[in-house]
Amino acid sequence: MKFSFLNPTKIEFGQGQIASIKNNIPADSKVLVIYGGGSIKKNGVYEQVVAALAQHNWQEFSGVEPNPTAETLDKAVAIVKEQGIDFILAVGGGSVIDGSKYIAAAALYDGGAWDIMTGKHKVTKAVAIGAILTIPATGSESNGASVVTKAATHDKLAFMSPFVFPKFAVMDPEVMVTLPQRQLANGVVDAFVHVCEQYLTFPAGAMVQDGYAEALLKNLTVLAANFKHQDQAWRANLMWTANQALNGLIGAGVAQDWATHMIGHELTALYGVDHARSLAIIQPSLLRNQMEHKKAKLEQMGRNVFGLKQSDELAEQTIQAMEALYHSVDVATQLTEHGTDKNTAVEAILKQLTKHGLLKMGEHQAITLENSRVILEAAVA
Ligand code: NZQ
Ligand code: ZN
């Protein structure tokens, strides 16, 4: 095990914490408040932000879409540059926070902003960001990752940089009461798969990472089982669990495999599938395809998370338990939204994987294009 670990984001957790932004944003800042399609105007979040920023100099940019597009975000980049904005307050879910990271990095770069997503430009600085989280799922509120789509070409790409970690993240579970059940289910599934991507590789004897990953996975199975009985504690536990699932801790010093996300991103970019739903479609088939590499960890997960007994079928039973968990919150494990025949869809997805250079994925580089084809044959209806 060898790693550096720093998570610099200050967490402000609990009811009423939106007011804390007053003290967490420097008083002399020129602030741009960024939000999405307007859900924050229906649940009191916007009013709380306005009250907390009463003494600040601020303006706003709205309309960041789910799966944010560069086409929209570039308009905000221009505002940040023109107005000399030096603090960005992202108010929303992963889409708004990811979009704000792109804006923050692009505003301090003279070239084309898309260079950040292709890796042509390595980010060395960014405008300071703060986040008010309104949907628990991605962990974006306290990590250095951002996923942005170029709508014109269906390219959904990610970048990572230590410079775009939010300075603070406000997590008030009360804001979740207006979330549609579909989005809450997405949150449970996305967080579950985030843990899996850092856990389901091979045993490395990492007791802290494995033990904490298993605790988070067990939380999510309990939250899914109580999905119809949501209360304050349920919301708080989902918000904190989803955050911890992707704040860097459980992935430190261990092998990771983000192939489910990489293939899932192509489903979203091509067919508009919700992010979490794209993962539930790909993951079971991918795990079956990679069984020889992941068997030991699947068995460990079966025993320690689902309480299953050791047997020759344990790894397969663990995958079935995951499918059952997704189905229990009404998340499907087959792609039906492709609007064409199965063969055309599989070929279209493989073409995008090829375009994005995703020809060898997984902790053993064993998910070749041929294996992606096998995975998609099983995942696409
Ligand atoms: O736009 P508004 O009107 O705010 O509506 C949003 C949006 O339609 C709504 N919503 C959010 N909070 C609400 C609410 N509705 C009612 N009440 C509230 N309190 O929910 C919808 C979905 O929001 P979105 O931000 O898109 O969801 P999510 O947090 O799941 O983010 C998904 C994006 O994050 C990326 C995904 O690829 C996707 O683009 N990811 C980012 C990661 C990261 N930065 O680490 C990792 C993830 O794996 C993921 O790839
Ligand atoms: Zn995800």
Side-chain angles (χ1 to χ4, degrees):
M1 244 196 282
K2 187 179 179 197
F3 60 86
S4 301
F5 176 68
L6 172 68
N7 188 310
T9 305
K10 177 182 179 186
I11 305 292
E12 297 281 11
F13 196 97
Q15 200 168 358
Q17 290 284 44
I18 292 175
S20 75
I21 63 172
K22 176 178 191 292
N23 301 320
N24 281 316
I25 302 175
D28 57 353
S29 304
K30 207 164 174 195
V31 183
L32 183 64
V33 175
I34 299 181
Y35 59 98
S39 70
I40 67 164
K41 294 217 164 149
K42 295 187 195 127
N43 59 10
V45 171
Y46 184 80
E47 285 81 353
Q48 290 181 66
V49 170
V50 171
L53 291 181
Q55 306 302 322
H56 281 80
N57 174 2
W58 66 280
Q59 54 191 293
E60 64 184 58
F61 179 86
S62 64
V64 176
E65 349 41 358
N67 308 304
T69 66
E71 284 87 344
T72 296
L73 301 173
D74 286 339
K75 294 179 193 152
V77 173
I79 294 172
V80 174
K81 285 183 172 175
E82 280 159 22
Q83 307 280 326
I85 298 290
D86 56 12
F87 202 101
I88 290 172
L89 179 64
V91 188
S95 295
V96 168
I97 302 171
D98 284 8
S100 296
K101 291 173 180 176
Y102 169 98
I103 294 162
L108 300 188
Y109 171 57
D110 287 334
W114 192 247
D115 292 350
I116 295 168
M117 306 312 301
T118 61
K120 187 177 162 206
H121 170 64
K122 191 170 186 315
V123 175
T124 55
K125 53 190 169 179
V127 174
I129 303 169
I132 298 176
L133 183 67
T134 64
I135 165 171
T138 65
S140 184
E141 65 277 9
S142 69
N143 70 34
S146 164
V147 188
V148 173
T149 302
K150 191 185 257 189
T153 49
H154 300 287
D155 294 321
K156 184 172 169 88
L157 303 181
F159 84 95
M160 309 255 291
S161 167
F163 297 98
V164 298
F165 272 82
K167 302 290 175 210
F168 63 83
V170 176
M171 283 184 256
D172 176 353
E174 284 302 300
V175 308
M176 293 165 61
V177 295
T178 51
L179 274 169
Q181 296 302 305
R182 178 186 180 90
Q183 294 298 342
L184 288 162
N186 287 353
V188 170
V189 172
D190 195 21
F192 195 90
V193 179
H194 290 163
V195 180
C196 292
E197 305 276 55
Q198 300 162 87
Y199 172 88
L200 280 179
T201 57
F202 50 84
M207 294 169 71
V208 170
Q209 293 89 328
D210 278 8
Y212 199 36
E214 287 163 6
L216 297 173
L217 291 171
K218 276 192 277 191
N219 288 356
L220 291 161
T221 63
V222 171
L223 294 167
N226 292 302
F227 196 75
K228 299 250 153 47
H229 310 286
Q230 296 162 15
D231 58 9
Q232 263 185 338
W234 189 94
R235 287 189 286 274
N237 278 306
L238 177 57
M239 201 170 229
W240 189 224
T241 301
N243 173 269
Q244 296 291 292
L246 197 47
N247 76 342
L249 180 64
I250 60 170
V254 297
Q256 303 187 20
D257 171 7
W258 288 89
T260 293
H261 269 72
M262 292 300 115
I263 305 175
H265 285 169
E266 304 297 4
L267 306 189
T268 302
L270 285 173
Y271 308 114
V273 181
D274 288 0
H275 170 65
R277 285 161 201 270
S278 77
L279 307 176
I281 289 166
I282 296 299
Q283 191 199 35
S285 315
L286 186 144
L287 294 174
R288 289 191 174 100
N289 175 263
Q290 293 293 301
M291 186 66 98
E292 77 176 283
H293 300 298
K294 297 184 186 289
K295 189 163 185 217
K297 261 330 213 3
L298 278 165
E299 290 184 348
Q300 183 180 331
M301 181 170 164
R303 287 189 305 272
N304 296 350
V305 176
F306 292 111
L308 299 171
K309 294 219 163 33
Q310 187 62 43
S311 77
D312 289 348
E313 282 77 50
L314 178 54
E316 168 59 28
Q317 286 169 355
T318 304
I319 298 170
Q320 287 172 15
M322 294 160 80
E323 289 173 318
L325 187 143
Y326 303 153
H327 295 160
S328 76
V329 292
D330 229 0
V331 171
T333 46
Q334 283 250 306
L335 178 72
T336 51
E337 302 96 313
H338 51 73
T340 167
D341 64 285
K342 172 173 171 162
N343 211 27
T344 308
V346 170
E347 293 305 330
I349 301 160
L350 288 171
K351 196 170 158 207
Q352 289 297 90
L353 288 172
T354 306
K355 176 179 169 194
H356 297 139
L358 299 169
L359 306 175
K360 278 185 181 171
M361 296 182 281
E363 72 278 11
H364 290 99
Q365 302 282 287
I367 306 174
T368 57
L369 203 61
E370 264 323 294
N371 276 328
S372 288
R373 179 185 294 280
V374 175
I375 293 163
L376 290 166
E377 291 288 349
V380 178

